[in-house]
Structures are given as C-alpha cells and as structure tokens.
C-alpha cells in the first residue's frame, strides 16, 4: 500500500467566520474541503488562526472586570486557550459529522490544546505591533494603559487598539502527544491561533502577552511531524508579484530561492502575504521533497493535484 501524503493545513480566518453563528456555518464548508483531501488518500493535520475569536474572548473578559471589580484581568494567553477550545469544539464536530456522512467511521477527530514556546528575548517583545480587540477612544485607551499596562496605538484614524508582540514559535510543547495521535490515525486539530504563547522558566511554562502567527506555527508543526505538504489557505487562489499593478503576475510554481528574491524586492505585504510566503519557504527548505502550497480553501484538493495554487519547493 502506498504511503499516504501527510498534510498540515493552516486555516485562515475566512475558514472560520467572525462570529459564533458565522463560525458554525463556516466550519461545515471547511470540513467538506478537508474531508475531500482525506478521500484523496491524504493524512491531514489541521491548524488554524483565531484573530476575530481571541479578540471577542478578550473583550468579553474585559467586560467582566468592569462588571465585577473583584475579577482580575484575564491574561492574553488564557484568552488564546479559550479560543482554541471553542474553535476546536466546532471544527472537530463538523469534521466528525462530515466523515460519518461519507461513511468514514475509522478516523477519530480530536483537538489538542497546544502551548508553543517563544523566546522571552525575542525582539518582537520590544516592538508590539499586532492589534487585538476593539477600537477605543483616546480616553479609554489611556485608561486601559494605566490599569493593565497595555500598549495602545492609534490605528489609521479609526481609534486606538491594544497591540501585542508576535514572537516566532520555537517549540511545540505537546508535539509528542500530537505525533502519537497522528501516527495512530487520528485527525488532529492543533496549534490553534498559532498556539498558546509561553516562555520557559525552569520547569514552569509562563503565559506570554503575545500572539503567534499561525502560519509560522503551522510551518513548525509540519516540520516536526515530517509532513510532505504544508497548505496555507488564504483569500486568493495564487500568490502574485506586482499585485494590483498593470504588470501583475500570478505564480504557479516557484523555488524557495525565487520566493526569497521576491520578498527582498518587497512584493508581499508584511501584514498579509509576506508571513505566508516566509512560512512556506521555511518548510520547503527544511528537507528534500517537502512542498508548500498557498491557495484558497475550496481549491486545496486541486492544488495538491498540481492544477492550481502557488507551489513552493526547494527546486
């Protein structure tokens, strides 16, 4: 029997929706695309973002502190853990239902609440830039900064938002358990929202006030699981250079070296496509034969077959 292709899929926000009702609908569509890959003979591990969800949890926990002065502020790492659990709950149930609908009864589905170690000395902590939560007035922002020691920044004339660090992932704490589950045939959801950011203090793991980019965490997860493919799902079918210009060009297959050249020329936006391409290159360069694919959710199956998407490989 031929060895199954092992794929780590990094789901973007469009695969999860922005509210609870939207998420319930979105995960059903997402589950169909993932089970399509399983029916094609792939072994799938799922990672996902949590941008809207962690902001919603953070806002809810802040509201609680205003209602009850005895309630302490909830650390961001705990908010990430909460978002992992409730996204995983919806996603694993949608996947299980879709598998059963297609008569696939031998693939258990489970969510692993995942901690990801970051370096306490990561330069990102000196320059928090990732906005989370709602927009606030100057007065509200000043109050939050004083009360909770938050870093607040003005956002393009729309108000003030909290900004946090986005350090690079260094180690997936639960990787041994994730690997065991994958090897036993489970469909695992892990590294939700990039993972719960923690720093190591001796044997203690301390939650960090940060968020980890889900594409970098997914790349690390794929490397640790010796995956064949990393699929980064986004809002476009392919990556483009000169995006939005008259000489715009959509890319089908590029080498890691070509991708690095395009990055150095500034073709990819820092808050958008750049981290996806960087994560793809990290994975493609990590071992011979590994490939990354950037495409739309509904095109993932066609991308694996090589008919669409942007594929990045060593050569």
């Amino acid at each position: 029997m031929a060895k199954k292709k092992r794929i780590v899929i990094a789901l973007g926000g469009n695969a999860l929706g922005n509210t609870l009702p939207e998420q319930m609908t979105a995960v059903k569509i997402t589950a169909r695309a993932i089970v399509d890959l399983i029916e094609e003979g792939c072994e799938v591990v799922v990672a996902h973002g949590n941008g809207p969800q962690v902001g919603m949890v953070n806002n809810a926990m802040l509201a609680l502190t205003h209602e009850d002065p005895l309630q302490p502020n909830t650390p961001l790492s705990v908010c990430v853990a909460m978002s992992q659990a409730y996204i995983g709950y919806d996603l694993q149930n949608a996947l299980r239902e879709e598998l059963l609908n297609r008569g696939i009864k031998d693939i258990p589905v489970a969510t692993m609440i995942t901690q990801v170690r970051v370096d306490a000395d990561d330069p990102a902590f000196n320059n928090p830039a990732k906005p989370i939560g709602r927009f606030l007035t100057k007065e509200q922002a000043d109050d939050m900064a004083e009360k909770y020691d938050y870093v607040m920044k003005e956002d393009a004339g729309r108000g003030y938002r909290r900004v946090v660090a986005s350090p690079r992932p260094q180690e997936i704490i639960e990787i041994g358990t994730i690997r065991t589950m994958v090897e036993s045939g489970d469909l695992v959801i892990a590294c939700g929202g990039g993972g719960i950011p923690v720093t190591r203090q001796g044997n203690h793991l301390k939650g960090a006030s940060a968020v980890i980019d889900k594409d970098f965490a997914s790349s690390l997860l794929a490397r640790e699981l010796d995956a064949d493919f990393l699929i980064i799902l986004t809002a476009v079918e392919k990556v483009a250079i000169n995006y939005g210009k008259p000489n715009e060009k959509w890319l089908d297959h590029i080498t890691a070296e070509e991708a690095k050249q395009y990055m150095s020329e500034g073709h990819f936006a820092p808050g958008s496509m750049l981290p996806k391409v960087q994560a793809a290159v990290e994975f493609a360069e990590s071992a011979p034969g590994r490939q990354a694919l950037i495409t739309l959710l509904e095109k993932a199956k066609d991308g694996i077959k090589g008919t669409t998407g942007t594929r990045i490989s060593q050569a």
Side-chain angles (χ1 to χ4, degrees):
M1 179 189 267
K3 179 181 177 290
K4 290 184 175 181
K5 279 184 182 142
R6 181 172 291 176
I7 296 171
V8 170
I9 296 180
L11 298 175
N14 59 330
L16 298 171
N18 292 307
T19 65
L20 286 171
E22 280 184 17
Q23 181 170 296
M24 291 283 285
T25 302
V27 293
K28 291 183 189 231
I29 299 166
T30 299
R32 288 198 286 272
I34 291 170
V35 177
D36 281 347
L37 291 172
I38 292 170
E39 283 195 323
E40 290 291 319
C42 298
E43 187 179 70
V44 178
V45 181
V46 179
H48 61 79
N50 71 341
Q53 294 85 358
V54 76
M56 184 170 65
V57 171
N58 184 63
N59 289 342
M61 301 314 290
L62 273 175
L64 180 61
T65 66
H66 295 147
E67 289 175 15
D68 182 356
L70 297 178
Q71 283 286 347
N73 189 37
T74 305
L76 183 56
S77 56
V78 176
C79 295
V80 174
M82 290 178 176
S83 72
Q84 275 192 6
Y86 97 74
I87 293 169
Y89 163 63
D90 277 350
L91 195 49
Q92 72 187 24
N93 282 345
L95 284 164
R96 183 180 290 111
E97 183 176 340
E98 186 64 25
L99 287 164
L100 292 174
N101 286 346
R102 302 196 198 188
I104 303 170
K105 301 178 181 178
D106 58 347
I107 300 181
V109 189
T111 299
M112 171 59 67
I113 302 302
T114 314
Q115 300 173 97
V116 173
R117 183 181 64 80
V118 298
D119 188 343
D121 296 322
D122 190 301
F125 284 109
N126 297 324
N127 184 31
K130 186 79 173 176
I132 65 162
R134 61 193 178 92
F135 289 98
L136 301 170
T137 65
K138 178 73 164 61
E139 293 73 22
Q140 289 171 320
D142 289 344
D143 183 53
M144 298 282 276
E146 185 178 342
K147 260 190 193 173
Y148 306 122
D149 199 27
Y150 286 175
V151 178
M152 310 296 292
K153 286 189 180 175
E154 197 273 333
D155 189 335
R158 295 178 293 177
Y160 288 77
R161 293 178 81 187
R162 180 187 179 190
V163 290
V164 298
S166 185
R168 288 291 189 105
Q170 302 297 323
E171 176 190 4
I172 298 168
I173 302 299
E174 287 78 19
I175 191 61
T177 306
I178 295 167
R179 191 180 288 118
T180 298
M181 293 167 72
V182 172
E183 295 290 349
S184 70
D186 291 8
L187 171 46
V188 182
I189 301 159
C191 292
I196 303 162
V198 294
T199 57
R200 195 186 295 281
Q201 299 180 347
N203 291 328
H204 176 64
L205 295 172
K206 177 178 172 57
S209 184
V211 291
I212 301 169
D213 186 281
K214 69 103 173 45
D215 297 316
F216 289 127
S218 300
S219 177
L220 178 58
L221 179 64
R223 282 176 270 146
E224 290 288 337
L225 293 176
D226 193 23
D228 302 293
F229 266 95
L230 169 65
I231 304 180
I232 297 176
L233 300 176
T234 186
V236 291
E237 188 169 340
K238 297 180 183 181
V239 178
I241 55 173
N242 301 310
Y243 183 70
K245 298 176 181 176
N247 59 340
E248 177 181 88
K249 180 185 176 185
W250 297 98
L251 305 172
D252 297 314
H253 178 226
I254 55 174
T255 66
E257 283 303 316
E258 287 171 329
K260 286 193 276 192
Q261 177 64 33
Y262 292 141
M263 285 190 280
S264 71
E265 292 169 357
H267 283 285
F268 310 125
S272 174
M273 190 57 74
L274 180 60
K276 299 180 192 311
V277 177
Q278 288 173 322
V281 168
E282 278 185 6
F283 177 71
E285 288 190 320
S286 62
R290 290 180 176 173
Q291 295 185 63
L293 176 72
I294 301 175
T295 194
L296 289 164
L297 170 68
E298 57 269 29
K299 297 289 185 177
K301 183 171 76 169
D302 294 333
I304 285 293
K305 292 177 177 177
T307 59
T308 193
T310 299
R311 198 177 283 231
I312 300 173
S313 60
Q314 278 192 6

